[in-house]
Amino acid sequence: MNGVEQNIIRVEHLVKRYNNIAAVNDVSFEIKKGEIFGLLGPNGAGKSTIISILCGLLEPTSGRGIIDGFDIQKNAFEIKKIIGVVPQEISLYSTLTARENLDFYAKVYGLPRRLREQRIAELLKMSGLTLRADESLQSYSGGMKRRINIAVALLHKPRILFMDEPTAGVDPQSRKRIYDTILELNSKGMTVLLTTHQLEDAEKLCHRIAIVDNGKLIALDTLEGLMKLVGESDIVRIEARDITQNTITSLEKINNVQKISVDGETMTVQLLKGREMLARIIDILTDSGTKVDSIQIKEPDLETLFLHLTGTKLRR
Ligand code: ATP
């Protein structure tokens, strides 16, 4: 990859306001050709809004987006030809079969009959659903429908794929197949922008990850680069009842503790050398009479990172 060609998507100071609320608040990033780029953040962070603006489904309040040299506001027609969009909601006709659904959308794209049949056969194979292609979608699992939803977005052979929560609500088998499909498409040169609030998606798929919260981009790097931000911290997760402010204050006095957050009955303590400090933590909890249901120690992951950056947990 080199020079001018390198960035296939450029987002500059994107803003989307709904009345006084900024769903997207001055977001800028670039995506390299051939990259799988993840927008990771909790519900309501602004991920779908960013994707919708880039796909031409929403007008930005201000800012600019350039896709393969085309301006998202001025060249929507050209952009539609080179992008595929997998929406968050499944947009298929449940009374039709998978093949009929694909055929319907292939006609919408204006593919001639021969090409339609060829593309549909290829995409059914890719989805692992050739043998069930002539069953109505009513007999399909959520994951199978999602695989067909992805196939629809690929009918016209786009070069860039936008996927909004591609694995939301799918079973592990379909998740694995969706991962394989994305990696396979990418190995053939497809650039992918996906949104997710699933850590696993970002970890397994993305070359680079942008973390979005409250409409703002708060970090952008490779997984490795992002983890360096957290440093050597561990996370100790404590499920307990009766967590009092006094207990939190006592825990905060442990030198190694960097951050404590409480969400209902889950207390998350971010600290250095978590394993070594565990006995001390348990002593404090016991002395304060906290009713502990479980204690778990975790190596840093994206959830740790999110907590580190925002002080809140990534929630579904
Ligand atoms: P999710 O994972 O739930 O889709 P998200 O990160 O994609 O979350 P968005 O759907 O982009 O988040 O929403 C960002 C913010 O903008 C939210 O606070 C949402 O309530 C708000 N929002 C989105 N669409 C509208 C709208 N049409 N009118 C008003 N507010 C909206």
Side-chain angles (χ1 to χ4, degrees), residues 18 21 23-24 41-50 88 164-165 197:
Y18 292 108
I21 296 163
V24 179
N43 287 125
K47 308 178 299 290
S48 301
T49 308
I50 295 171
Q88 196 167 339
D164 199 354
E165 300 282 353
H197 47 225

